[in-house]
């Protein structure tokens, strides 16, 4: 990683894999929770493709295939992480104490939620509706419980565990933020009455946790960028993580508005409808601004020699949430501009996922991943 003696920099995840060509040690010792980003980034492609306001011949089939890959990836990474904890408990505990790696435990909860959402969205084509809903509900429950635990434990550790001067606020700190976008899709499958109302307002509470958590951390992250300058080259893609809570919250607001009628009172349903637009449009505008800002810094990093690492998966899931958010706005407003935005972002998402997936498979095949810290 780049290092300067003049000022502290955001430290890179110690267990993150290095750029291409760097010698590594094989095995699972250096397989951290950041590997769940592969699962998140794969599952969101299927969900985003299904959410597009346009129908492309063959796209649904492709989404089903990608969903199946996300299930396989979730199974493989979970098994590998179990081996990691069993054989390398010292390293796993070190990850929890490291302010650069600990926030990546948020990837575990988001992986469960993302696969659960894609299972309900497109997995039903293979599993059938009943099995898909049961599996999606199980993954949503496990992901939400994990997310709540991570949202409490990781900030606690960041506060109480001894830190180095390089432990500065970074975009990865947004990963433990709880997401509420996947819960509302289960509402039609619950009994009418209290069960649906509880889930709806429970997801609204999760929405508040994520929104206020983001508003609390984002100014500190930007202040760090202004004070310290651009992050190390390999960490520059993590700037895209800011898009995640923005797209997720816009998606969630749209889902609340879509499903609130019949679940809550007419007044509350109208409130959800208005909020989806009044909140979603400004946040999408800011997301596009941040996308341009982060994209410019990534282009700068590429000119200075940024090479592939696992942080490139940050180009997938956050952009995918912006696809679903734009699609939700297209549905709520009826404006073609949001539909066009969703399609353009989906094309970028597919390109980013293809590059990240191919390079990751190549790294695994050549023994370069998972990699020891440099």
């Amino acid at each position: 990683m780049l290092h300067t003696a003049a000022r502290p920099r955001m430290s890179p995840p110690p267990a993150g894999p290095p750029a291409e060509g760097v010698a590594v040690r094989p095995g699972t010792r250096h397989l951290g929770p950041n590997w769940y980003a592969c699962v998140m980034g794969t599952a969101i492609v299927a969900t985003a493709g299904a959410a597009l306001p346009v129908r492309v011949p063959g796209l649904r089939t492709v989404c089903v295939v990608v969903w199946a890959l996300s299930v396989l990836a979730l199974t493989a990474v979970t098994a590998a992480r179990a081996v990691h904890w069993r054989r390398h408990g010292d390293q796993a505990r070190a990850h929890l104490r490291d302010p650069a790696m600990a926030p990546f435990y948020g990837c575990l909860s988001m992986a469960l939620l993302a696969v659960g959402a894609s299972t309900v969205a497109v997995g039903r084509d293979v599993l059938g509706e009943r099995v898909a809903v049961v599996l999606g509900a199980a993954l949503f429950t496990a992901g939400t419980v994990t997310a709540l635990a991570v949202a409490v434990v990781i900030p606690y550790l960041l506060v109480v565990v001894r830190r180095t001067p390089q432990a500065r606020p970074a975009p990865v700190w947004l990963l433990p933020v709880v997401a509420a976008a996947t819960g509302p899709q289960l509402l039609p499958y619950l009994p009418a009455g209290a069960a649906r109302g509880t889930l709806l307002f429970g997801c609204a509470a999760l929405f508040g946790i994520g929104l206020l958590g983001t508003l609390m951390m984002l100014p500190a992250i930007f202040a760090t960028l202004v004070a310290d300058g651009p992050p190390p080259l390999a960490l520059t893609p993590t700037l895209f993580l800011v898009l995640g809570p923005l797209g997720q919250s816009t998606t969630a607001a749209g889902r609340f508005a879509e499903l609130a009628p019949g679940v809550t009172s007419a007044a509350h349903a109208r409130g959800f409808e208005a909020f989806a637009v009044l909140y979603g449009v400004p946040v999408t505008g800011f997301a596009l601004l941040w996308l341009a800002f982060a994209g410019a810094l990534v282009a700068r990093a590429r000119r200075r020699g940024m090479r592939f690492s696992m942080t490139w998966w940050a180009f997938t899931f956050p952009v995918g949430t912006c696809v679903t958010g734009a699609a939700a706005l297209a549905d709520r407003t009826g404006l073609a501009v949001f539909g066009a935005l969703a399609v353009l972002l989906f094309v970028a998402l597919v390109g980013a996922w293809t590059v990240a997936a191919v390079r990751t498979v190549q790294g695994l095949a050549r023994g370069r991943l998972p990699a020891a810290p440099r």
Side-chain angles (χ1 to χ4, degrees), residues 48-75:
L52 288 179
V54 297
R55 294 294 171 259
V56 179
L59 178 59
R60 182 79 179 186
T61 301
V62 173
C63 290
V64 171
V65 172
V66 175
W67 161 78
L69 289 176
S70 73
V71 174
L72 292 175
L74 177 62
T75 304

Side-chain angles (χ1 to χ4, degrees), residues 37-362:
C38 302
V39 183
M40 297 162 52
T42 302
I44 196 63
V45 174
T47 304
L52 288 179
V54 297
R55 294 294 171 259
V56 179
L59 178 59
R60 182 79 179 186
T61 301
V62 173
C63 290
V64 171
V65 172
V66 175
W67 161 78
L69 289 176
S70 73
V71 174
L72 292 175
L74 177 62
T75 304
V77 174
T78 301
R81 287 287 296 160
V83 173
H84 174 82
W85 271 95
R86 180 178 177 85
R87 296 183 180 177
H88 309 291
D90 61 326
Q91 184 77 349
R93 289 187 292 273
H95 287 167
L96 280 173
R97 295 190 297 269
D98 191 300
M101 178 57 73
F104 280 99
Y105 274 90
C107 291
L108 167 58
S109 59
M110 286 308 308
L112 294 170
L113 292 167
V115 174
S118 63
T119 298
V120 177
V122 301
R124 66 176 67 201
D125 294 0
V126 176
L127 303 176
E129 183 175 83
R130 181 179 179 83
V131 175
V133 170
V134 170
L135 180 58
L139 290 170
F140 169 74
T141 302
T144 301
V145 171
T146 303
L148 289 170
V150 168
V152 173
V153 173
I154 299 305
Y156 174 82
L157 292 175
L158 290 175
V159 170
V160 303
V161 173
R162 182 174 63 85
R163 296 171 298 281
T164 63
Q166 289 78 24
R168 306 281 286 169
V172 297
W173 287 22
L174 292 170
L175 288 172
V177 172
V178 177
T182 62
Q185 69 179 159
L186 298 172
L187 283 171
Y189 305 101
L190 291 177
R196 292 186 182 182
T198 300
L199 179 59
L200 175 65
F201 286 102
C203 289
L206 296 177
F207 175 93
I209 294 175
L211 174 60
L212 296 178
T214 300
L215 293 177
M216 179 175 62
M217 287 183 283
L218 188 53
I221 293 169
F222 185 72
T224 299
L225 290 173
V226 173
D228 296 348
L233 295 185
L235 282 183
T236 304
T238 63
L239 293 172
F240 274 66
L241 294 176
V242 173
L243 298 174
L246 303 177
Q248 283 276 53
S249 60
T250 301
T251 303
R255 296 293 281 171
F256 294 154
E258 175 187 354
L259 298 169
V263 175
T264 185
S265 67
H268 289 161
R270 289 193 298 271
F272 278 119
E273 181 71 30
F275 180 75
V277 176
L278 296 178
Y279 172 85
V281 173
V283 169
T284 298
F286 178 74
L288 294 176
L289 176 65
W290 189 272
L291 178 62
F293 170 70
L297 287 175
V298 167
R300 173 187 178 277
R302 283 292 285 170
R303 291 194 301 270
R304 285 161 172 74
M306 182 184 77
R307 307 176 98 181
F308 174 76
S309 69
M310 288 297 290
T311 58
W312 282 34
W313 282 97
F315 296 138
T316 57
F317 184 82
V319 175
T321 66
C322 292
V323 174
T324 56
L329 285 176
D331 182 54
R332 301 264 60 83
T333 64
L335 295 176
V337 64
F338 290 113
L341 176 62
V343 172
L344 289 175
L345 291 174
F346 181 72
V347 172
L349 167 64
V350 171
W353 178 84
T354 301
V355 172
V358 170
R359 301 297 281 275
T360 300
V361 171
Q362 289 176 343

